Amino acid sequence: SYDIHDIKITGYLQTQFQVAQSPGIFSWSGGDFSQNSASRFMLRRGRLKVDRVDKFSSVVFQLDGTQDGLRIMDAFIQFHSPEDKSLLVTAGLFNRPFGYSIVYSSGYRDFPERARVFQTLMPRERDLGAMISYRPKKMLHFVTAELAVVNGSGLNAKDYDSNKDIIGNLNFKFDSLANKKFHLGFGGSIYKGTVRSNTDTYLKPIENGFASVTDANNVGYNFRRDYYGANLQLEYNNSFGTTSLKSEYIQGKQPGVASSSSISGLAASQSFAAQPTTNLYLRNFNGYFIWFTQQIASTKLTAIVGYDVYDPNTDVDESEIGKTGNNTTAGDIKFSTLGYGITYALNGRLKLTIYNEHVHNDGTQLANYQNDIKDNVFTTRLQYRW
Amino acid sequence: SYDIHDIKITGYLQTQFQVAQSPGIFSWSGGDFSQNSASRFMLRRGRLKVDRVDKFSSVVFQLDGTQDGLRIMDAFIQFHSPEDKSLLVTAGLFNRPFGYSIVYSSGYRDFPERARVFQTLMPRERDLGAMISYRPKKMLHFVTAELAVVNGSGLNAKDYDSNKDIIGNLNFKFDSLANKKFHLGFGGSIYKGTVRSNTDTYLKPIENGFASVTDANNVGYNFRRDYYGANLQLEYNNSFGTTSLKSEYIQGKQPGVASSSSISGLAASQSFAAQPTTNLYLRNFNGYFIWFTQQIASTKLTAIVGYDVYDPNTDVDESEIGKTGNNTTAGDIKFSTLGYGITYALNGRLKLTIYNEHVHNDGTQLANYQNDIKDNVFTTRLQYRW
Amino acid sequence: SYDIHDIKITGYLQTQFQVAQSPGIFSWSGGDFSQNSASRFMLRRGRLKVDRVDKFSSVVFQLDGTQDGLRIMDAFIQFHSPEDKSLLVTAGLFNRPFGYSIVYSSGYRDFPERARVFQTLMPRERDLGAMISYRPKKMLHFVTAELAVVNGSGLNAKDYDSNKDIIGNLNFKFDSLANKKFHLGFGGSIYKGTVRSNTDTYLKPIENGFASVTDANNVGYNFRRDYYGANLQLEYNNSFGTTSLKSEYIQGKQPGVASSSSISGLAASQSFAAQPTTNLYLRNFNGYFIWFTQQIASTKLTAIVGYDVYDPNTDVDESEIGKTGNNTTAGDIKFSTLGYGITYALNGRLKLTIYNEHVHNDGTQLANYQNDIKDNVFTTRLQYRW
């Protein structure tokens, strides 16, 4: 069999108390609140990871357990040739290799959540597939290049169509600048995929709305789902404490559906885990985040400020959303979030985070979204990581 | 990373064969039987616990896996200040700190199940929240005081309303009496919570029934859910073998619903994990258990006898239940259970339990409950604990 | 507590890419494809096993985690008397002790899947119950005899009726023949169970069809579910590489239901996890598989060829299926599968399998099954076992 010391058991637990500005809000800060609830205790993430490393191969098995149930988060095999460690093959369920924040662990991130745009486009980060990674060991050791083929349907599905999606990623990382006090990272990513239409009608983006296009050939047609991203990370270890600035931008085409009584605005442009049965809305989107952190006087306290934007439909003005005849819905509303707070490292494993988020939307012509809706969220989180 | 020896993996597995007095009975002895089944093999509890302890903090992660699925049972973080170990903070998903039997592990309990009243009021023992515990190390080391704030909606929910519930517990334990042969424990607990009404009507307890009260202000009103408990444990290590007597009493107010074709009598007064959508029935209840165990001639055999009572509605006589116009249902019926059996410790980890339960209810005017229903249960259980 | 070295953590992960001959096929090669999908990445099995062994007892706890969720696969206790290791008691959730392939681990099997007949009759291999095993240590050490009592409803259910099923198994294994170069195993098994009818009508097999029998006494009647099996394994370590031949045959009576719009032909004769609510079809069935493997020139490559047949209804000719009035459905169609491929052991833990399956059925009078349907499957699988 094996020596137990080859196996590592690690994990982290995040438990939090949250207050919403009004009951039952839709939220990306730990999920929608229950209809009549404006405050809650919850487990945000309960991760247990078992991994095993051999000379040329390894396996990772990670669970997530919360009040919402228990599920598998990671389950992948990696191996490289005995001669060359720089070329790595990964197969199974793993993080989509797109940009910086998707693959960066929630157990290490300073901010409670990933930006709204990434939660929408790549729900729960993972997908099923295979990947080749190139990480040169000597020359160009600051480069990482990755190419993956995935189902495109996320961590819960065996794929609902026959098309596979492709992800390419190129990243650069320099850790030895300015006497190792300055760290720089940047990169670009591309996602080329499709979404299958189940109906004969799709909605084409036009200025300030959608035009409906009906054709029998649309049934079974695979519409483009393309993303382009760029990211930058700066970190400076100065005498006052570490300062960091991280940012990521993404734009592209995201087929979604209309918001309705059963589909919230937030869910309307979320990537699909199963074949959507209603008409597709082909939206052009963009989004970004900026994360700034400042360690305070070299203490265990760090101030954090984040700002992110997701505009699911860049072809429409908010003031035109809901106008009769232009086919827009709550799924087209742009949201921006300003968050600020502090983290306190009680000890090497325990971290307390206090964070307040102002979530803003401009007014529309929709009855429920005539003004900025009251969906701010305050979070107190305790994390143990091991 | 860490040293694997810091992590403990423990658990217990309970597998059992049961025979019911009639097919499809509702039961608290491992859950209701399937409609046409009067006997069954089942996994009662399959616990796997991973915990990690540091100098000032720790984490616990416990799973339960049976034929009914896999879920998280405990997931909490604990820490104390480096200077003072007596004050402990707990956050996450943990046992409600109420009384004795809720927090006492099923892997160590002599009896197969907790009393009916506790299973009804605090399903699966756990809730999400935060707790402060005070356990003095020197003076008053026999005292434990606990104060918790919880969702009130149990281990499966992020809370369905904005009100939080409060639990207070005070316990005393003396282990050094009579040359350490006599152990004494006792304590008291209080639960102060609420249940939100979703309708304009609630049912107020009156003598031998309920009166209906309708008012638009009842929608969204939070009705009291209050429990008061007291407990006592005696243990005496005598020459014949250890003798123990444990008892716990609880009374209070429990908002529930009416029993109906889709809600069994047992479920009608069970605490809610989600917003109840029908009218609330505000019941005054009480309940208790007495557990007696006697080790036989210092062998591995122990005789066990238990008696418990749960009266979900102390304002109504059983003979009046089901009477036209008084709004009573099967949810108001009092049940008492006399159980007896033996446990045999095959070795330090293996335990065999044989237990027979007589479940009694008085006759009512309800068609299905005119006499004592045939819901006795016989259980043979094998447990491995490690 | 315990010493961590007593606990073993093992497991295996299987991730694969598959291509189906047409979208949305029903398949036993990893489950049905989604309606519009003819290719997919998926996790086939993600096993994590924790087991603990004492002097006289042990416990096993195995999880399976894939994109379809996380569930318990094994959870059983075993013990023997201190004096005699040859008699072993097992209780909990464990593999049905029937034949060879059901109990042989998927982590060690050369072929991607068990034969169709065994997947149909004993879905997911496990059941809840108790078992006595006899494995003599000195004389007759080549014999294994097993007798189990199980629910008959598989790994997801507490049993839906009161009848229990009985499984008997007798196996012989010789490992020291021809200078330990030749290994021989063979055995026979019997399954005696029942399925409860919920309706007053059952369908009796007659030549080329079913006759309907209606009688009020059929409600609640337990119809026979009987299997008889025989198995043979040959392995020869020759100079070219190890050669093996394994085969297993099974026949008997399997109560099922009719295939319909909501029940596929494959599911119509599958063993039940819950009370079937429609009329029972009492089918006489048979099936078998032949597995041949040849290691190639003592390399890490092994060629594998498998053939299996499942005829769910031996009383009907395929050409008569679907004929008006004979009550036959897609649930009566015989399927045979020819598979061939290679396995490559990249290292001691990593295995790559490439396998192609031709699934054949004869034409029937059913609209959807007039010819061999296009349900071949190609599989590329990567496995890590530890």
Side-chain angles (χ1 to χ4, degrees):
Chain A
S1 99
Y2 71 98
D3 182 344
I4 190 137
H5 292 288
D6 297 341
I7 293 179
K8 267 200 308 188
I9 300 174
T10 55
Y12 57 91
L13 179 63
Q14 297 176 341
T15 177
Q16 65 194 23
F17 179 71
Q18 293 187 303
V19 181
Q21 199 181 2
S22 50
I25 60 165
F26 301 124
S27 175
W28 285 116
S29 301
D32 300 342
F33 281 71
S34 295
Q35 195 185 345
N36 302 299
S37 174
S39 71
R40 62 187 180 194
F41 285 102
M42 62 178 284
L43 301 175
R44 180 59 185 94
R45 295 179 181 89
R47 299 292 168 81
L48 198 61
K49 185 160 118 177
V50 178
D51 69 77
R52 196 191 185 290
V53 179
D54 289 309
K55 225 169 173 183
F56 310 124
S57 55
S58 63
V59 72
V60 170
F61 204 85
Q62 188 180 202
L63 309 181
D64 185 53
T66 68
Q67 65 281 322
D68 303 327
L70 202 56
R71 59 157 297 113
I72 196 105
M73 287 305 284
D74 289 302
F76 59 83
I77 300 167
Q78 286 191 315
F79 65 93
H80 58 82
S81 96
E83 292 78 36
D84 185 1
K85 286 191 166 188
S86 61
L87 211 62
L88 198 65
V89 174
T90 305
L93 176 68
F94 54 87
N95 282 316
R96 294 164 176 106
F98 190 102
Y100 177 80
S101 66
I102 285 289
V103 297
Y104 194 83
S105 165
S106 296
Y108 287 88
R109 191 178 52 244
D110 296 301
F111 293 79
E113 303 297 339
R114 288 182 181 83
R116 174 183 291 247
V117 61
F118 286 102
Q119 290 197 58
T120 303
L121 300 175
M122 302 185 195
R124 306 212 77 173
E125 301 84 59
R126 278 81 175 168
D127 209 336
L128 282 154
M131 175 168 69
I132 292 177
S133 310
Y134 180 60
R135 297 178 189 171
K137 295 294 161 195
K138 292 175 189 172
M139 278 206 357
L140 300 173
H141 65 273
F142 47 83
V143 174
T144 300
E146 291 163 314
L147 188 67
V149 185
V150 298
N151 279 339
S153 50
L155 80 177
N156 276 323
K158 293 178 190 171
D159 207 352
Y160 57 84
D161 65 15
S162 299
N163 274 35
K164 302 297 162 259
D165 297 358
I166 290 174
I167 311 174
N169 188 49
L170 186 64
N171 245 85
F172 299 87
K173 203 170 180 223
F174 300 93
D175 280 332
S176 319
L177 307 176
N179 289 325
K180 299 197 174 180
K181 283 189 165 177
F182 186 61
H183 306 270
L184 168 67
F186 55 90
S189 310
I190 192 165
Y191 187 106
K192 299 291 280 182
T194 59
V195 173
R196 185 186 172 279
S197 172
N198 210 41
T199 72
D200 61 1
T201 301
Y202 71 90
L203 282 292
K204 198 174 75 170
I206 52 171
E207 209 189 316
N208 282 326
F210 292 98
S212 178
V213 182
T214 302
D215 182 334
N217 290 328
N218 290 335
V219 179
Y221 189 84
N222 288 280
F223 289 95
R224 298 299 320 165
R225 173 190 175 193
D226 294 338
Y227 314 152
Y228 305 91
N231 64 82
L232 172 71
Q233 304 89 45
L234 305 170
E235 191 180 305
Y236 181 50
N237 305 322
N238 52 69
S239 57
F240 184 67
T242 300
T243 308
S244 85
L245 182 77
K246 297 175 180 179
S247 182
E248 200 161 356
Y249 175 83
I250 182 168
Q251 69 169 55
K253 291 176 188 302
Q254 171 80 338
V257 291
S259 169
S260 66
S261 60
S262 60
I263 298 172
S264 74
L266 271 60
S269 63
Q270 203 172 354
S271 296
F272 302 105
Q275 174 66 56
T277 54
T278 55
N279 296 337
L280 291 184
Y281 284 63
L282 311 181
R283 297 185 180 96
N284 296 303
F285 74 89
N286 68 24
Y288 63 90
F289 68 81
I290 301 167
W291 286 343
F292 176 81
T293 73
Q294 175 61 54
Q295 190 186 7
I296 295 173
S298 300
T299 63
K300 293 173 170 180
L301 275 173
T302 298
I304 61 178
V305 181
Y307 182 70
D308 78 72
V309 172
Y310 174 43
D311 186 352
N313 189 338
T314 52
D315 296 304
V316 71
D317 254 20
E318 307 314 287
S319 61
E320 301 288 316
I321 293 175
K323 201 170 170 178
T324 310
N326 74 354
N327 293 309
T328 53
T329 66
D332 298 299
I333 303 175
K334 172 181 172 179
F335 282 87
S336 59
T337 304
L338 172 67
Y340 50 85
I342 55 160
T343 69
Y344 179 64
L346 283 83
N347 65 32
R349 305 200 175 281
L350 259 185
K351 185 173 78 170
L352 178 71
T353 304
I354 296 173
Y355 198 67
N356 197 29
E357 285 165 287
H358 292 275
V359 183
H360 177 78
N361 62 284
D362 286 338
T364 72
Q365 298 185 32
L366 294 166
N368 295 328
Y369 292 90
Q370 296 194 323
N371 299 296
D372 181 21
I373 55 170
K374 297 185 179 306
D375 55 353
N376 297 345
V377 177
F378 170 82
T379 300
T380 303
R381 177 185 290 181
L382 192 64
Q383 174 183 286
Y384 187 100
R385 194 189 69 231
W386 46 292
Chain B
S1 96
Y2 69 98
D3 181 346
I4 192 134
H5 292 288
D6 298 340
I7 293 179
K8 269 200 306 189
I9 300 173
T10 55
Y12 57 92
L13 178 63
Q14 296 175 341
T15 177
Q16 64 195 24
F17 179 71
Q18 295 186 301
V19 181
Q21 199 181 2
S22 49
I25 61 165
F26 301 124
S27 174
W28 285 116
S29 301
D32 300 342
F33 280 70
S34 295
Q35 196 186 346
N36 302 298
S37 173
S39 70
R40 63 185 179 194
F41 286 102
M42 63 178 283
L43 301 175
R44 180 60 185 95
R45 293 178 183 90
R47 298 292 168 83
L48 197 62
K49 185 160 117 174
V50 179
D51 69 75
R52 196 193 186 288
V53 179
D54 291 307
K55 223 168 173 180
F56 309 126
S57 55
S58 63
V59 72
V60 171
F61 205 86
Q62 188 180 204
L63 309 181
D64 185 52
T66 69
Q67 65 281 322
D68 303 328
L70 202 57
R71 58 156 300 112
I72 196 106
M73 288 304 284
D74 289 302
F76 60 82
I77 300 167
Q78 286 192 315
F79 65 93
H80 58 79
S81 95
E83 291 79 36
D84 185 2
K85 285 190 169 194
S86 62
L87 210 63
L88 197 65
V89 174
T90 305
L93 177 67
F94 53 87
N95 282 316
R96 293 165 177 104
F98 190 102
Y100 176 81
S101 66
I102 284 290
V103 298
Y104 195 82
S105 166
S106 295
Y108 287 88
R109 191 178 52 244
D110 296 301
F111 293 79
E113 303 297 340
R114 289 184 180 82
R116 173 183 292 250
V117 61
F118 285 103
Q119 290 197 57
T120 304
L121 300 175
M122 303 184 196
R124 307 214 75 175
E125 302 84 59
R126 278 81 174 169
D127 208 335
L128 282 155
M131 175 168 70
I132 292 176
S133 308
Y134 181 61
R135 296 179 190 170
K137 294 295 158 190
K138 293 177 187 171
M139 279 206 355
L140 300 172
H141 65 273
F142 46 82
V143 174
T144 300
E146 290 163 314
L147 186 67
V149 184
V150 297
N151 279 340
S153 50
L155 80 176
N156 276 323
K158 295 178 189 169
D159 207 352
Y160 58 84
D161 65 15
S162 298
N163 274 33
K164 301 297 159 260
D165 296 358
I166 289 173
I167 311 174
N169 188 50
L170 186 63
N171 245 85
F172 299 85
K173 203 170 182 226
F174 301 92
D175 280 332
S176 320
L177 307 176
N179 289 327
K180 300 198 174 181
K181 283 189 165 181
F182 186 62
H183 306 269
L184 167 67
F186 56 90
S189 310
I190 191 166
Y191 187 106
K192 300 290 280 183
T194 60
V195 173
R196 184 184 171 281
S197 172
N198 210 41
T199 72
D200 61 1
T201 301
Y202 70 90
L203 282 291
K204 197 173 76 171
I206 53 171
E207 209 187 320
N208 283 327
F210 293 97
S212 177
V213 181
T214 301
D215 183 334
N217 291 327
N218 289 337
V219 179
Y221 189 83
N222 288 281
F223 289 95
R224 298 301 318 166
R225 173 190 175 193
D226 294 338
Y227 313 152
Y228 305 92
N231 64 82
L232 172 70
Q233 305 88 45
L234 305 170
E235 189 179 304
Y236 182 48
N237 305 322
N238 52 68
S239 57
F240 183 68
T242 300
T243 308
S244 84
L245 182 77
K246 297 175 180 180
S247 182
E248 199 161 356
Y249 175 84
I250 182 168
Q251 70 167 54
K253 291 175 188 301
Q254 171 79 340
V257 291
S259 170
S260 66
S261 60
S262 61
I263 298 172
S264 74
L266 272 60
S269 63
Q270 203 172 353
S271 297
F272 301 105
Q275 174 67 55
T277 52
T278 55
N279 295 338
L280 292 184
Y281 284 63
L282 312 182
R283 297 185 181 94
N284 297 303
F285 73 88
N286 67 24
Y288 63 92
F289 68 83
I290 301 168
W291 286 342
F292 176 80
T293 73
Q294 176 62 56
Q295 189 187 7
I296 295 170
S298 299
T299 63
K300 293 172 169 181
L301 275 173
T302 298
I304 62 177
V305 181
Y307 183 70
D308 78 72
V309 173
Y310 174 43
D311 187 352
N313 188 339
T314 54
D315 296 303
V316 70
D317 255 20
E318 307 314 285
S319 61
E320 299 289 317
I321 293 175
K323 199 170 170 180
T324 310
N326 74 356
N327 293 310
T328 53
T329 66
D332 299 297
I333 302 173
K334 171 180 172 177
F335 283 87
S336 59
T337 304
L338 173 66
Y340 49 86
I342 55 158
T343 69
Y344 179 64
L346 284 81
N347 65 31
R349 306 200 175 282
L350 258 185
K351 185 173 78 171
L352 178 71
T353 304
I354 295 173
Y355 198 67
N356 197 27
E357 286 165 287
H358 292 275
V359 183
H360 177 80
N361 61 284
D362 286 340
T364 72
Q365 299 185 30
L366 294 165
N368 295 328
Y369 292 90
Q370 295 194 323
N371 299 296
D372 182 21
I373 55 171
K374 297 186 180 305
D375 55 352
N376 297 347
V377 177
F378 170 82
T379 301
T380 304
R381 177 184 291 181
L382 192 64
Q383 174 183 287
Y384 187 100
R385 195 188 68 231
W386 46 291
Chain C
S1 96
Y2 70 98
D3 181 345
I4 190 134
H5 293 287
D6 298 342
I7 293 180
K8 268 200 306 188
I9 300 174
T10 54
Y12 57 91
L13 178 64
Q14 296 175 343
T15 177
Q16 65 193 24
F17 178 70
Q18 294 187 302
V19 181
Q21 199 180 3
S22 50
I25 61 165
F26 302 125
S27 175
W28 285 117
S29 300
D32 300 341
F33 281 70
S34 294
Q35 195 185 345
N36 301 299
S37 174
S39 70
R40 62 186 180 193
F41 285 102
M42 63 177 283
L43 300 175
R44 181 59 187 93
R45 294 176 182 90
R47 298 292 169 81
L48 197 62
K49 186 160 118 174
V50 178
D51 70 76
R52 196 193 185 288
V53 179
D54 289 309
K55 223 168 174 182
F56 309 126
S57 55
S58 64
V59 71
V60 170
F61 204 87
Q62 188 180 203
L63 309 181
D64 185 52
T66 68
Q67 66 282 321
D68 302 328
L70 201 57
R71 58 156 300 114
I72 197 106
M73 288 304 286
D74 289 302
F76 60 82
I77 300 167
Q78 285 193 314
F79 64 93
H80 59 80
S81 96
E83 291 78 36
D84 185 2
K85 285 190 167 194
S86 63
L87 211 62
L88 196 66
V89 175
T90 304
L93 176 68
F94 53 87
N95 282 317
R96 294 166 178 101
F98 189 101
Y100 176 80
S101 66
I102 284 290
V103 298
Y104 194 82
S105 166
S106 296
Y108 287 89
R109 190 177 54 242
D110 296 302
F111 292 80
E113 303 297 339
R114 289 182 180 83
R116 174 182 292 247
V117 61
F118 285 102
Q119 290 197 56
T120 304
L121 300 174
M122 304 185 194
R124 306 215 75 174
E125 301 85 58
R126 279 79 177 173
D127 209 336
L128 282 155
M131 174 169 70
I132 292 177
S133 309
Y134 181 60
R135 296 178 190 172
K137 295 294 159 193
K138 292 175 188 171
M139 280 202 1
L140 301 172
H141 65 275
F142 48 81
V143 174
T144 300
E146 291 163 314
L147 188 68
V149 185
V150 297
N151 280 338
S153 49
L155 81 176
N156 276 322
K158 294 177 188 171
D159 207 352
Y160 58 84
D161 66 14
S162 299
N163 274 35
K164 301 296 160 261
D165 296 357
I166 290 173
I167 311 173
N169 188 51
L170 186 63
N171 245 85
F172 299 86
K173 203 168 180 226
F174 300 92
D175 281 333
S176 321
L177 306 176
N179 289 327
K180 300 199 172 180
K181 284 189 167 179
F182 186 62
H183 306 268
L184 168 68
F186 56 90
S189 312
I190 192 166
Y191 187 107
K192 300 290 280 181
T194 59
V195 173
R196 185 185 171 279
S197 172
N198 210 42
T199 72
D200 61 0
T201 300
Y202 71 90
L203 282 291
K204 198 174 76 171
I206 53 172
E207 209 188 320
N208 282 326
F210 294 98
S212 177
V213 181
T214 301
D215 183 333
N217 291 328
N218 290 336
V219 180
Y221 189 83
N222 288 280
F223 289 95
R224 298 301 318 165
R225 172 190 175 193
D226 294 339
Y227 314 152
Y228 305 93
N231 63 83
L232 172 70
Q233 305 87 44
L234 304 170
E235 190 180 303
Y236 181 49
N237 304 322
N238 52 69
S239 57
F240 183 68
T242 300
T243 308
S244 84
L245 183 77
K246 298 175 179 179
S247 182
E248 200 160 355
Y249 176 84
I250 182 167
Q251 69 167 55
K253 292 176 187 300
Q254 171 80 339
V257 291
S259 169
S260 67
S261 61
S262 61
I263 298 171
S264 74
L266 272 60
S269 64
Q270 201 171 355
S271 297
F272 301 105
Q275 174 66 56
T277 52
T278 55
N279 296 338
L280 292 183
Y281 284 62
L282 312 181
R283 297 186 179 94
N284 296 304
F285 73 90
N286 68 22
Y288 64 91
F289 69 83
I290 301 168
W291 286 342
F292 176 79
T293 72
Q294 176 62 54
Q295 191 187 5
I296 296 172
S298 298
T299 63
K300 293 173 171 180
L301 276 173
T302 298
I304 61 178
V305 181
Y307 183 70
D308 77 72
V309 173
Y310 174 43
D311 186 354
N313 189 339
T314 54
D315 296 304
V316 70
D317 255 19
E318 308 313 287
S319 61
E320 301 289 317
I321 293 176
K323 200 171 171 179
T324 310
N326 74 354
N327 293 309
T328 52
T329 65
D332 299 297
I333 302 173
K334 171 181 171 177
F335 283 87
S336 59
T337 304
L338 173 66
Y340 49 86
I342 55 159
T343 68
Y344 178 64
L346 283 81
N347 65 32
R349 306 200 174 282
L350 260 185
K351 185 174 77 170
L352 178 71
T353 304
I354 295 173
Y355 197 67
N356 197 27
E357 285 165 287
H358 292 275
V359 183
H360 178 80
N361 62 284
D362 286 340
T364 71
Q365 299 185 30
L366 294 166
N368 296 327
Y369 293 89
Q370 295 193 325
N371 299 296
D372 182 20
I373 54 170
K374 298 185 178 304
D375 55 353
N376 297 346
V377 177
F378 170 82
T379 300
T380 304
R381 178 184 290 181
L382 191 66
Q383 174 183 286
Y384 186 101
R385 195 188 69 231
W386 45 292

